[in-house]
Amino acid sequence: MAESLYWRNRELRKHVAVIDGVDEPTIVLKNSTYLNTYTKQWLRANIWIFKDRIVYVGDKLPENSSSAEIVDCDGLSLVPGYIEPHAHPFQLYNPELLAMHGARFGTTAFINDNLMWNFLLDRKKAFTLLEAFNQLPVSMYWWARFDSQTALQQREEFFTTDKVLSWLEHPSVIQGGELTAWPRLLDGDDRLLYWIQEANRLGKPVEGHLPGASEKTLTKMKLLGVTAEHEAMTGQEVIKRLQLGYQTGLRYSSIRPDLPVLLEELMAEGLQAFDHVTMTTDGSTPAFYENGIMNICIEMAIEKGVPLADAYRMATHNAAKHYGLIDELGCIAPGRIANINILQKKENPHPISVLAKGEWIIKNHQEQNIPPQINWGKYDIEPLTFDWDLDLEDLQFSVPIGLHMINDVIIQPYAIKTDVTLNVIPPDTDDAFLMLMDRQGKWRVNTAIKGFTNQLGALASSYSTTGDLVFIGKSKQDIMLAWKRLKELGGGIVLVNEGDILFELPLKLGGSMFAGSMAELMESERYLKKLLQDFGYPFNDPIYSILFLSSTHLPYIRITQQGIVDVKKREVLFPATMR
């Protein structure tokens, strides 16, 4: 710690030495018109950067700049790098892949979910990995989850007070939550309340997850220490959260693209103050990000009539202020990390050049060559290996209650009337076999699912809420073939029909994350979606449908490690079968 402090002291002295002309800046952005997010004004200035920091914003040019890169920004507009304040960086992509893709479009900071690290890594490896992420040009911060958002067989193994508090105390962790287990809190779970109090004591906000919550529930959650919320579905719900003192996120995601309507309703309501409003893409699936992340949200805000400075602040200053990062991010001012987007004009939030930590990500529309930096194997995040096998005896289905998909993520219970003792379920019904299998092969949960497909022989996926294996399909033989190929790949998603392998997406990073390029992943996701829709999938987001099969923060019934769970009653209707 002392060595780190001395290093920081030397760095700060260097910054002052640049101002005094003793040292040179590394980059000077001269003749800049930039957005001052404190005053909401567009001002003229020369901006000096030394390595990863902004050291000067004002009228002067440096006396000592013989080796500095001088960039004339006359006629251009500069804004702070954008912040994604609520990222789930594991939706097939990995956190580095998402971050570097987003940076190409100006999103240079991410506040990330840590849920996957709870399942994949021990704390020592996870914290070492967080340090590796700090070396990326993109600014990476994390949450500390308080719950798994599913019913685990051994919840205590993952979410103990010791583990949760060690995450909260980590300097890269700047938020508690998101709190999907809030009903437990209202029911008197004092351990959960203690964790919230500790987050508040550490000056770290707590993110709620309160879709459709009443004023009474919102008030109680505020009293118990929840400080932010992103589940508002109408403009009036946004305003109610703001009135109660919540930092309020507006969502634009692949599963809930609410932002345009929310903005229209907020403008119609005459909202004047946007200082406590942010925007988030909330862990969208890969192809949703084809044209960027927060730049798309800012564009929508501008189009819907949000004042220009506020539109940018919603994706910069507001998020930084909420997370206690305003001395690091969210503004163009001395001492801040040099995350800067250079725009063709003020009203166009899609940057022509991007600086992240003083490093060019995009320069005059040209993408810079920045090789991947995370050595995943060092953290044992590698292809899966299985020392067990699936057999036909595992494919016994006799539970009378199944899962009926109402939309992409809402699932109701239904009485299974189709004969699921057959080897093949006929195509005149949209029932299919559904099995959740322990990654270690120790247990399984067998039932049926209605509304996912009426034709497909089999889908096998190691991508799921907990990393356990999901099997869906009409044919037991196709399920066996899909399993065999999944095992050979070391994890991923495989589609089989009538003995033919139709699709495979290797997920070589822990069976959950892709190791190639974002362009390759987007193409694969689009093809997977088209195939599933050709085989009767009637909704829009099959990736989220698979992911949320086990997610107990959504109604009404789920398949989990414990078994088939009634979410509202929090009861296991049919327990998992040990193998």
Side-chain angles (χ1 to χ4, degrees):
M1 178 63 74
E3 183 179 345
S4 174
L5 183 61
Y6 290 138
W7 174 84
R8 181 62 176 154
N9 285 350
R10 289 195 299 270
E11 185 180 54
L12 294 174
R13 293 295 184 188
K14 280 279 191 182
H15 296 170
V16 173
V18 173
I19 304 303
D20 289 337
V22 175
D23 286 321
E24 298 182 45
T26 50
I27 298 175
V28 177
L29 306 175
K30 71 176 185 177
N31 301 321
S32 300
T33 298
Y34 81 101
L35 176 61
N36 187 301
T37 53
Y38 281 94
T39 65
K40 300 186 183 181
Q41 293 174 299
W42 295 89
L43 303 176
R44 187 85 165 173
N46 299 306
I47 300 169
W48 309 358
I49 295 167
F50 180 74
K51 295 184 178 178
D52 67 338
R53 294 282 168 161
I54 300 167
V55 296
Y56 176 81
V57 181
D59 297 332
K60 299 182 183 301
L61 286 169
E63 298 174 6
N64 185 1
S65 61
S66 59
S67 64
E69 180 183 2
I70 310 295
V71 180
D72 192 344
C73 295
D74 191 35
L76 303 175
S77 299
L78 280 63
V79 295
Y82 309 143
I83 302 170
E84 168 50 91
H86 189 90
H88 299 271
F90 310 107
Q91 313 305 15
L92 300 182
Y93 39 72
N94 64 69
E96 182 182 24
L97 190 60
L98 177 67
M100 296 310 297
H101 174 75
R104 291 175 50 221
F105 299 91
T107 302
T108 53
F110 290 78
I111 320 299
N112 296 299
D113 188 358
N114 77 324
L115 184 60
M116 187 68 72
W117 304 144
N118 284 280
F119 296 136
L120 288 182
L121 299 172
D122 61 44
R123 271 183 294 173
K124 183 177 180 180
K125 278 196 173 70
F127 290 169
T128 305
L129 180 56
L130 265 55
E131 295 302 318
F133 278 115
N134 288 340
Q135 305 310 308
L136 296 178
V138 178
S139 302
M140 299 289 273
Y141 302 90
W142 302 87
W143 322 342
R145 280 276 192 164
F146 295 161
D147 61 271
S148 64
Q149 74 179 37
T150 188
L152 299 174
Q153 287 208 344
Q154 297 174 318
R155 189 180 82 185
E156 296 300 325
E157 181 181 335
F158 297 99
F159 295 94
T160 64
T161 293
D162 176 58
K163 288 184 177 180
V164 169
L165 294 189
S166 67
W167 274 94
L168 275 176
E169 290 165 358
H170 193 283
S172 293
V173 174
I174 59 173
Q175 170 178 271
E178 69 180 293
L179 189 62
T180 54
W182 61 269
R184 282 180 19 216
L185 179 64
L186 294 184
D187 286 347
D189 187 330
D190 279 338
R191 186 176 66 162
L192 200 51
L193 180 57
Y194 172 61
W195 296 344
I196 293 172
Q197 288 178 314
E198 283 300 289
N200 293 162
R201 182 182 66 80
L202 292 167
K204 300 183 179 183
V206 175
E207 180 79 16
H209 182 96
L210 305 167
S214 66
E215 180 185 54
K216 182 178 181 180
T217 295
L218 289 169
T219 299
K220 289 194 287 187
M221 295 300 291
K222 198 74 179 68
L223 291 171
L224 292 170
V226 175
T227 53
E229 223 281 324
H230 63 282
E231 291 288 335
M233 290 180 277
T234 68
Q236 288 187 342
E237 289 185 358
V238 172
I239 289 171
K240 177 53 66 178
R241 283 160 170 74
L242 291 171
Q243 290 171 341
L244 293 174
Y246 284 96
Q247 184 81 16
T248 304
L250 311 182
R251 177 174 20 215
Y252 183 64
S253 74
S254 56
I255 201 71
R256 285 267 306 278
D258 300 336
L259 181 62
V261 172
L262 291 176
L263 290 168
E264 288 172 3
E265 293 178 352
L266 290 175
M267 298 308 292
E269 292 283 344
L271 182 66
Q272 298 294 314
F274 292 86
D275 293 353
H276 297 283
V277 181
T278 58
M279 299 178 287
T280 177
T281 59
D282 198 13
S284 295
T285 43
F288 191 80
Y289 290 133
E290 180 177 8
N291 297 312
I293 303 182
M294 298 312 297
N295 55 309
I296 304 297
C297 296
I298 298 168
E299 181 178 53
M300 288 181 181
I302 294 170
E303 288 175 350
K304 297 301 180 182
V306 175
L308 193 59
D310 283 313
Y312 284 107
R313 276 177 52 110
M314 287 162 66
T316 57
H317 192 110
N318 294 1
K321 185 72 181 293
H322 171 65
Y323 287 111
L325 296 173
I326 197 62
D327 289 334
E328 299 278 325
L329 299 173
C331 55
I332 295 175
R336 274 55 173 196
I337 295 172
N339 293 351
I340 298 175
N341 292 333
I342 301 176
L343 313 177
Q344 197 77 55
K345 56 182 181 178
K346 299 173 185 176
E347 298 79 9
N348 182 352
H350 309 294
I352 62 172
S353 298
V354 176
L355 279 168
K357 294 182 181 175
E359 182 176 348
W360 293 108
I361 305 296
I362 298 287
K363 188 175 183 183
N364 295 325
H365 298 288
Q366 297 298 312
E367 184 175 351
Q368 306 300 291
N369 182 26
I370 302 174
Q373 296 183 32
I374 302 297
N375 179 0
W376 296 100
K378 179 179 178 180
Y379 309 98
D380 298 328
I381 299 177
E382 297 176 323
L384 298 179
T385 57
F386 301 95
D387 60 1
W388 56 275
D389 216 340
L390 191 68
D391 57 53
L392 283 172
E393 288 187 6
D394 290 310
L395 303 182
Q396 305 298 316
F397 297 83
S398 58
V399 171
I401 300 297
L403 281 65
H404 183 189
M405 295 187 65
I406 304 304
N407 62 26
D408 306 68
V409 298
I410 303 301
I411 306 174
Q412 291 182 345
Y414 83 107
I416 301 172
K417 296 180 180 179
T418 298
D419 186 355
V420 292
T421 65
L422 301 172
N423 286 330
V424 178
I425 296 176
D428 60 355
T429 171
D430 61 352
D431 296 82
F433 302 117
L434 170 62
M435 179 170 67
L436 183 70
M437 175 69 74
D438 175 35
R439 181 176 287 200
Q440 307 302 323
K442 296 179 180 178
W443 53 261
R444 57 179 169 82
V445 183
N446 295 45
T447 183
I449 186 167
K450 185 176 182 65
F452 188 89
T453 182
N454 58 13
Q455 301 176 58
L456 183 66
L459 175 149
S461 175
S462 59
Y463 170 81
S464 66
T465 297
T466 53
D468 297 310
L469 308 183
V470 173
F471 297 91
I472 300 172
K474 309 282 276 188
S475 166
K476 293 181 181 179
Q477 288 297 332
D478 282 349
I479 288 174
M480 293 298 295
L481 179 55
W483 152 250
K484 180 181 177 181
R485 185 56 183 152
L486 184 75
K487 188 175 181 179
E488 291 171 348
L489 290 173
I493 299 175
V494 177
L495 267 59
V496 172
N497 195 61
E498 296 182 352
D500 292 328
I501 296 173
L502 305 180
F503 172 89
E504 54 186 49
L505 174 64
L507 298 175
K508 296 181 179 180
L509 303 181
S512 299
M513 298 175 288
F514 187 63
S517 72
M518 199 68 163
E520 292 172 315
L521 181 57
M522 289 177 183
E523 183 179 356
S524 291
E525 185 211 348
R526 290 190 191 98
Y527 185 50
L528 171 62
K529 179 178 175 180
K530 181 184 182 301
L531 276 176
L532 288 173
Q533 289 177 336
D534 288 346
F535 279 92
Y537 176 79
F539 308 117
N540 185 61
D541 206 329
I543 299 303
Y544 259 106
S545 294
I546 296 167
L547 179 69
F548 280 168
L549 286 170
S550 298
S551 295
T552 52
H553 67 295
L554 294 165
Y556 294 89
I557 188 171
R558 300 287 144 171
I559 185 170
T560 76
Q561 289 186 359
Q562 292 184 13
I564 300 172
V565 171
D566 182 313
V567 173
K568 187 173 182 180
K569 294 181 180 178
R570 278 172 273 170
E571 293 179 357
V572 177
L573 302 178
F574 300 96
T577 300
M578 302 307 293
R579 299 176 75 231

